[in-house]
Amino acid sequence: GNKLFGMTHDGGNQYKGTIYSFDLSGSVFTTMHHFSGSDGSFPGGSLTLSGSLLYGMTSQGGSNNSGVLFSISTDGSGFTVLRHFDNTASGPQGSLFLSEGNLYGLTEYGGDNYSGALFEYNIAGDAFTVLGSFTGLNGYGPYGDPLKIGEEIYGMSRIGGSANSGNIFRYSPAFQWTGASSTSWSDETNWSKGEVPSGLEDVVIPAAPANQPHVDLVTASPAQVNNLTIQAGASLTIGPGKALTVNGTLLNEAGNSGLVLQSNATGTGSLLHNTDMVSGTVKRFITGNPDLTVYKYHMVSIPLADQNLTASLFNGSYLFEFDPSLQDWSGMGSDPETPLFSMKGYMIYYPAASTTYSFAGSLCNGSYGFESYQVAGEYQLIPNPYPSALDWDSPEITKYQIDNAIWVWNPESGNYATYGSGTGTNNGSRYIAQGQSFFIRASDFYAYLGMNNGARLHNTQPFFKTTEVIINQLRIKALCNNYSDEAVVQFKTGGQEFYDYSDVARLNGASDAPQVYTLAGNNKLSINTLPELSGSYSVPMNFETSFSGSVTLSFSELGSFPPQLPVALLDETDNKTINLRETPVYTFNHQAGDRSDRFRLLFGEANGISNPENSSSRLWISNGEVFIHAPELSGNQARLEIFSSNGQKTEEQSIVLSELTRVKINTRGMVVARVTTSAGTMVCKGIPAR
């Protein structure tokens, strides 16, 4: 009307400030309210008018001496404290603004970091909400009046920010799911802001929409949010093979049914989050077979942090546990009340085509550790506890006195899938699927495996391939009796001719499935990592099975070796040598009880030198130098490599050949020299004595 309304910071009958009016027509000044402390003290900022009510704040006073939010009628009646500020938001130092029935303001202190907060007060619902807390980096001690433009709120802080001199900030309200068009997360018309949220946005899933969201983004480009709230009565479903990352806090007010990770034959939903005790349901599709002789076993884990778990989780399956002291499996009976533990792995066999199990409870999150007190070379079964895949090669996995390898049963091949030293067999991978348990192998009496959230990832690894560039690696696959097995021989810097950390031991599969492996001494290896290829190698390769009949060996990745290097298979039983470059598939007849040490793999020439055919070129080492006599290649480029006795490359250089080329060697002791030219490769060993 014709009045001005305001506040004084001090004064009044309690010297704690007042609310006043000034009638312009009569120049009448009226004190409408004297603050007393319990109802607030030392008001700041301006009053905000809505209808016939004025709203304002005090910086101190109230029940927590943190200030109050109040209302008063324009006629001076009905003073009401609406909110006693506390540590969630305290010490307001500016004005409120009104928008669509809500009041918005800033407090200098309080919030999650006691660095200030932005709040919302819904007048009709008498609901107070902290919208955002200041951290220091995004501002500290906000002061003055916020401003709303569209859906976003702007303001300033006095200190904090990157230069600790304050900043201008913007707050964007949470994305609200509307479900206006469908259940598709990736459909922008289903969101309040008309776009799909990013990993920096807060998201709220309310109960009202009939279409509740289904995450439909794949693991390579997952759905991402900052903070996520699933309100009571709402639900969020992550589809099979789809993925969601929650970077901030995950609040599920809807219980186990409010967050569901689905699973079918194509895959299982994946969730990365960082909040303890989040309720949810994780489903796991399992294949089986009514024929118990076909080895359709699955090594499983339980992605729940709950206690009092029982065998009823795997109702209908035969259930087994691994006894580290016996190094063998044992049946757990059929009592559904048999206790299970989320920090143990198990094995199941479902005696029908397939089923889907559900695990409902608090989802695992955070750090986990597994201790082992075993003889070196013994195995222990470890669960993947998370509702997502694990990366075995992650630096966030701690491996103390264990082999750098994992073993997972592959029901299709009848053998264990292995992974280690950058490669795998039988579809073994560095990625451990959600709901999967896996074997580790102790290298000393006390062993420890630790993991945390940093080791998780979204991955579509099947439940039961390496992505590294393949160099100097031979893969052997054996097929018989409708089963298969694989072994790998590779040559790498740091590899050894004896069993070491870069090798992966053989873990026997089904007796009537093929078992192919190489040897390092008496150690049976699925993956044999030898020193970098610098001469000739003869690698023992064994084969076993209780099956009698035809067996096929296939050899692949031959193109990873230098094209001039001979690679052959020696069958000592049939006295045959097969050039694998010309014949990469070899079939033979096997009878149960045949000798296992039947084969040898041959790399390079028998004497370790692979000289160009029909050439007078020669290579030797003498008096600290490498001598290369190649008159027909004079003027051509060549590459010289020097290897120490342990297979490590110590020197390498490009050279231009002359009729007789001499190059000094700096490496001491026994060395191997390799010269690669356009015509072929020459290799020799020697001691460059000086």
Side-chain angles (χ1 to χ4, degrees), residues 329-344:
W329 297 99
S330 60
M332 298 183 66
S334 57
D335 185 353
E337 297 305 312
T338 299
L340 300 183
F341 304 94
S342 60
M343 292 300 101
K344 283 187 64 174

Side-chain angles (χ1 to χ4, degrees), residues 402-649:
I402 62 174
D403 289 3
N404 188 24
I406 53 175
W407 294 258
V408 175
W409 181 256
N410 184 334
E412 302 305 318
S413 68
N415 278 294
Y416 283 93
T418 63
Y419 174 79
S421 198
T423 193
T425 65
N426 299 320
N427 285 329
S429 166
R430 64 189 283 183
Y431 304 115
I432 302 163
Q434 181 204 118
Q436 181 79 69
S437 61
F438 56 98
F439 276 118
I440 62 170
R441 187 172 186 261
S443 59
D444 209 334
F445 172 71
Y446 174 75
Y448 175 80
L449 178 69
M451 61 187 72
N452 60 41
N453 285 355
R456 307 168 307 167
L457 79 167
H458 297 305
N459 185 263
T460 56
Q461 170 66 11
F463 185 62
F464 49 6
K465 309 164 170 124
T466 178
T467 58
E468 286 198 359
V469 176
I470 298 171
I471 300 176
N472 294 345
Q473 175 176 293
L474 180 67
R475 183 175 298 273
I476 307 105
K477 185 170 187 177
L479 298 117
C480 69
N481 197 25
N482 295 317
Y483 293 115
S484 64
D485 192 21
E486 286 186 339
V488 167
V489 177
Q490 59 183 355
F491 299 85
K492 284 187 173 182
T493 300
Q496 303 291 340
E497 295 189 8
F498 50 84
Y499 178 79
D500 75 334
Y501 187 73
S502 60
D503 297 315
V504 178
R506 166 80 193 175
L507 189 54
N508 287 335
S511 61
D512 58 349
Q515 315 284 322
V516 63
Y517 56 90
T518 60
L519 293 174
N522 294 321
N523 295 284
K524 299 179 179 180
L525 304 180
S526 287
I527 300 173
N528 190 353
T529 305
L530 293 165
E532 189 167 356
L533 192 59
S534 59
S536 63
Y537 284 89
S538 176
V539 181
M541 188 183 88
N542 286 20
F543 177 84
E544 302 175 20
T545 182
S546 62
F547 166 77
S548 295
S550 177
V551 179
T552 298
L553 298 176
S554 299
F555 300 84
S556 60
E557 299 168 10
L558 288 153
S560 68
F561 292 94
Q564 303 86 3
L565 182 79
V567 183
L569 173 70
L570 173 60
D571 183 342
E572 295 184 337
T573 296
D574 289 348
N575 194 26
K576 295 180 180 178
T577 300
I578 298 92
N579 182 340
L580 296 180
R581 291 194 181 276
E582 297 177 354
T583 310
V585 178
Y586 179 63
T587 300
F588 64 97
N589 288 317
H590 175 85
Q591 295 297 316
D594 279 357
R595 58 182 285 196
S596 60
D597 58 341
R598 175 170 183 162
F599 300 103
R600 298 186 78 84
L601 295 169
L602 306 178
F603 300 88
E605 303 289 351
N607 62 0
I609 300 176
S610 177
N611 287 319
E613 295 182 5
N614 304 318
S615 172
S616 60
S617 299
R618 294 177 56 216
L619 174 68
W620 68 94
I621 297 173
S622 177
N623 197 28
E625 292 182 309
V626 172
F627 290 81
I628 309 161
H629 181 256
E632 72 277 20
L633 297 175
S634 181
N636 289 350
Q637 290 277 350
R639 183 175 59 138
L640 171 63
E641 299 165 288
I642 304 297
F643 302 86
S644 62
S645 58
N646 64 5
Q648 182 178 2
K649 185 189 294 185

Side-chain angles (χ1 to χ4, degrees), residues 317-337:
S317 280
Y318 297 98
L319 184 62
F320 304 85
E321 63 181 343
F322 185 76
D323 187 336
S325 63
L326 299 177
Q327 290 291 287
D328 202 0
W329 297 99
S330 60
M332 298 183 66
S334 57
D335 185 353
E337 297 305 312

